[in-house]
Amino acid sequence: MAILGRAGWRVVGFWRPLGAVCRTSPRCYSVPSEHTTEKSVPYTKTLKQDDGLRGPTKALPSSADVVVIGGGSLGCQTLYHLCKMGLTNVVLLERDRLTAGTTWHTAGLLWQLRPSDTEVELLAHTRHVVSSELQAETGLDTGWIQNGGLFIASNKQRLDEYKRLMSLGKVYGIESYVLSPAETKELYPLMNVRDLYGTLYVPKDGTMDPAGTCATLSRAATARGATVVENCPVTGIQVNPDHMGVRRVRAVETAFGTIQTPCVVNCAGVWATKLGELAGVNVPLVAMHHAYVVTERIEGIQNMPNVRDHDASVYLRLQGDALSVGGYEQNPIFWDVVSDKFAFSLFDLDWNIFMQHIDGAINRVPALEKTGIKSTVCGPESFTADHKPLLGEAPEVRGFYLGCGFNSAGIFLTHTLTHSMCWYVSLFVCVCVCVYLYVCISICMC
Ligand SMILES: Cc1cc2nc3c(=O)[nH]c(=O)nc-3n(C[C@H](O)[C@H](O)[C@H](O)COP(=O)(O)OP(=O)(O)OC[C@H]3O[C@@H](n4cnc5c(N)ncnc54)[C@H](O)[C@@H]3O)c2cc1C
């Protein structure tokens, strides 16, 4: 069994250096000295089941008010919000099955307090939609788990920042408490609090289940008239200049038919750049490897809050009676040539890159040092230059909207941001319909 430890992995009962473990352990996932390359992507060892389905899961309509491309977190939420705004002739096209890209393996953490009042307000709305609104509307469980969130302050400046966050939270009605090290220990007995200045505890933070949330969103949207078509890759986007010379979306092409539409929303995650190219639109994001590991059972960890240690750049997410340990690498691996065959797939974890999180995690919860690793999860995620998502209409083509580049926040920020983007999409479609009616009436009157 692989063990998290400062000097590398340990094998139960006695220490071994990393190299020796790699020769003997069945859980040696990658060669530590080399970055993972696309060749080593284990397509054949994925969770994907070949269920014999070939071709689209539904017949394609000949036209739609809006076509959403991509059935991940972003696509499903866009579809849902468009329907809630009254647009029902909306189609979502997914190349594989819903969540097949990045969404299926997300950690799904939701922290309500962020250093921006706009984000705090939006996140509160997100939490409301996932924890109660969707469930009330569909009768389905989204898989929301409310175990709370704990931010770690290991220096005075960080604690001051958290005090400011708490004040901000008060304005927006977010319950939160600054705890002393002793109070933190009471709440989280397995935590090392010797080097702590304090913590910020937000009891109503939690974790979203990606599959449950996307299934519920698509169910709610289809109940309102939307169409979800899986196993249907988009292969082309028709763009024509109008009589003013402005380039506008005309149709979306697939191998199984073409849908006439004035409006496309590109929610294709790390594939969004490729989709943009089909329409002559530049989508400035890069794909990188992003990872966490899931530990074996930890006695006493049940019901603990999720932990975010900003200084150590590490998070500990509760996963039943175990933890997921992840973070934000300073030297991430870029996925330069994004493959179209990558669905429900993962990369090998590069331990050289990931080891930077281990010290911080073990320092915070010392029990981790003797805990085995059950699995590693390393997938693609898109990042942008300013760490902000790409949302709204592309300047190059009218009717071509972007909903991508979420910088590892595509689960918790999307509800809210797609909500505002959908408003513009709805407005755009309404204007298109009005212009069309005006032209028709003018022709009739002539
Ligand atoms: C390890 C890891 C942990 C993370 N943890 C968190 C977290 O705790 N909290 C958080 O908020 N975020 C987290 N994230 C980020 C979050 O998971 C992503 O931001 C989010 O899932 C992105 O969703 P998406 O819909 O944009 O992309 P995707 O889920 O990748 O969806 C894009 C979809 O487009 C489809 N597609 C591509 N090309 C085509 C085509 N030509 N035609 C039709 N369909 C196409 C793909 O098959 C795919 O299903 C994490 C990410 C990783 C990798």
Side-chain angles (χ1 to χ4, degrees):
M1 175 172 52
I3 301 282
L4 281 170
R6 282 193 178 85
W9 283 357
R10 287 198 301 170
V11 174
V12 174
F14 53 96
W15 280 94
R16 287 218 181 160
L18 186 61
V21 175
C22 281
R23 278 196 298 279
T24 56
S25 167
R27 285 214 176 97
C28 180
Y29 290 92
S30 67
V31 182
S33 59
E34 284 178 11
H35 282 177
T36 312
T37 63
E38 200 192 325
K39 277 185 199 138
S40 62
V41 173
Y43 293 126
T44 52
K45 296 182 197 161
T46 68
L47 296 180
K48 188 178 176 187
Q49 302 289 318
D50 188 356
D51 51 12
L53 280 175
R54 295 284 178 269
T57 49
K58 279 204 187 102
L60 263 64
S62 58
S63 67
D65 289 339
V66 183
V67 174
V68 178
I69 303 172
S73 167
L74 254 297
C76 293
Q77 293 177 28
T78 303
L79 190 76
Y80 172 72
H81 279 100
L82 285 172
C83 290
K84 275 200 91 171
M85 287 171 176
L87 287 180
T88 50
N89 186 15
V90 185
V91 180
L92 184 150
L93 298 178
E94 164 55 44
R95 186 190 60 184
D96 197 270
R97 308 305 298 244
L98 293 185
T99 76
T102 296
T103 298
W104 71 277
H105 63 261
T106 184
L109 294 159
L110 186 145
W111 318 98
Q112 290 176 88
L113 289 181
R114 306 263 295 180
S116 142
D117 49 355
T118 313
E119 281 187 26
V120 169
E121 208 173 358
L122 293 172
L123 281 161
H125 171 70
T126 301
R127 195 192 149 281
H128 172 69
V129 171
V130 180
S131 63
S132 52
E133 191 177 299
L134 265 178
Q135 206 155 326
E137 185 175 341
T138 61
L140 297 173
D141 185 5
T142 60
W144 164 253
I145 298 171
Q146 185 178 298
N147 57 317
L150 198 59
F151 283 0
I152 301 297
S154 40
N155 54 62
K156 185 177 173 308
Q157 288 81 358
R158 191 64 82 182
L159 191 60
D160 288 344
E161 180 195 330
Y162 292 161
K163 285 178 182 166
R164 284 196 296 275
L165 278 187
M166 188 176 75
S167 306
L168 188 62
K170 271 189 186 150
V171 177
Y172 292 105
I174 315 276
E175 185 186 353
S176 66
Y177 307 91
V178 170
L179 304 183
S180 68
E183 289 168 327
T184 306
K185 186 77 181 173
E186 209 172 310
L187 175 73
Y188 203 123
L190 290 181
M191 184 173 287
N192 162 34
V193 298
R194 277 182 318 226
D195 57 345
L196 286 193
Y197 271 67
T199 52
L200 178 66
Y201 177 48
V202 184
K204 290 184 181 160
D205 279 358
T207 314
M208 286 157 72
D209 170 49
T213 304
C214 287
T216 315
L217 287 165
S218 69
R219 192 77 74 87
T222 47
R224 288 169 185 261
T227 308
V228 175
V229 187
E230 297 170 276
N231 294 334
C232 187
V234 170
T235 52
I237 294 169
Q238 292 176 14
V239 175
N240 290 339
D242 62 15
H243 61 281
M244 305 281 281
V246 177
R247 299 179 72 231
R248 287 179 184 277
V249 169
R250 287 281 172 258
V252 170
E253 295 171 352
T254 77
F256 311 103
T258 297
I259 305 176
Q260 303 296 323
T261 183
C263 191
V264 163
V265 189
N266 179 359
C267 297
V270 296
W271 296 270
T273 310
K274 292 187 169 192
L275 263 301
E277 281 165 10
L278 295 179
V281 169
N282 179 33
V283 181
L285 58 81
V286 289
M288 291 183 193
H289 293 202
H290 188 49
Y292 59 83
V293 298
V294 185
T295 72
E296 301 277 6
R297 184 173 191 277
I298 303 172
E299 189 54 47
I301 206 72
Q302 295 88 340
N303 303 320
M304 290 296 109
N306 302 316
V307 174
R308 180 82 171 89
D309 191 336
H310 287 98
D311 291 309
S313 196
V314 72
Y315 65 79
L316 308 170
R317 170 200 190 269
L318 184 75
Q319 189 133 353
D321 57 3
L323 286 178
S324 298
V325 179
Y328 301 90
E329 301 82 3
Q330 288 167 355
N331 52 343
I333 301 172
F334 288 79
W335 194 24
D336 292 323
V337 186
V338 175
S339 166
D340 287 335
K341 295 192 180 117
F342 198 92
F344 293 111
S345 304
L346 294 172
F347 303 111
D348 285 348
L349 182 70
D350 187 317
W351 282 98
N352 271 355
I353 304 282
F354 192 80
M355 281 308 280
Q356 62 192 281
H357 304 312
I358 300 298
D359 274 351
I362 291 174
N363 177 47
R364 198 48 58 218
V365 178
L368 281 172
E369 191 167 14
K370 295 187 176 135
T371 303
I373 300 161
K374 200 157 53 186
S375 57
T376 68
V377 176
C378 181
E381 170 63 342
S382 46
F383 290 87
T384 58
D386 63 356
H387 212 252
K388 299 286 177 217
L390 305 171
L391 286 171
E393 197 175 26
E396 298 98 326
V397 177
R398 293 302 321 263
F400 191 89
Y401 283 77
L402 302 179
C404 47
F406 268 85
N407 305 283
S408 200
I411 296 296
F412 67 73
L413 273 181
T414 45
H415 266 288
T416 49
L417 291 174
T418 50
H419 183 78
S420 42
M421 182 181 66
C422 287
W423 194 87
Y424 288 106
V425 173
S426 320
L427 187 67
F428 175 82
V429 172
C430 287
V431 170
C432 286
V433 171
C434 289
V435 169
Y436 178 74
L437 288 176
Y438 175 77
V439 171
C440 290
I441 291 167
S442 306
I443 291 170
C444 291
M445 288 179 72
C446 289

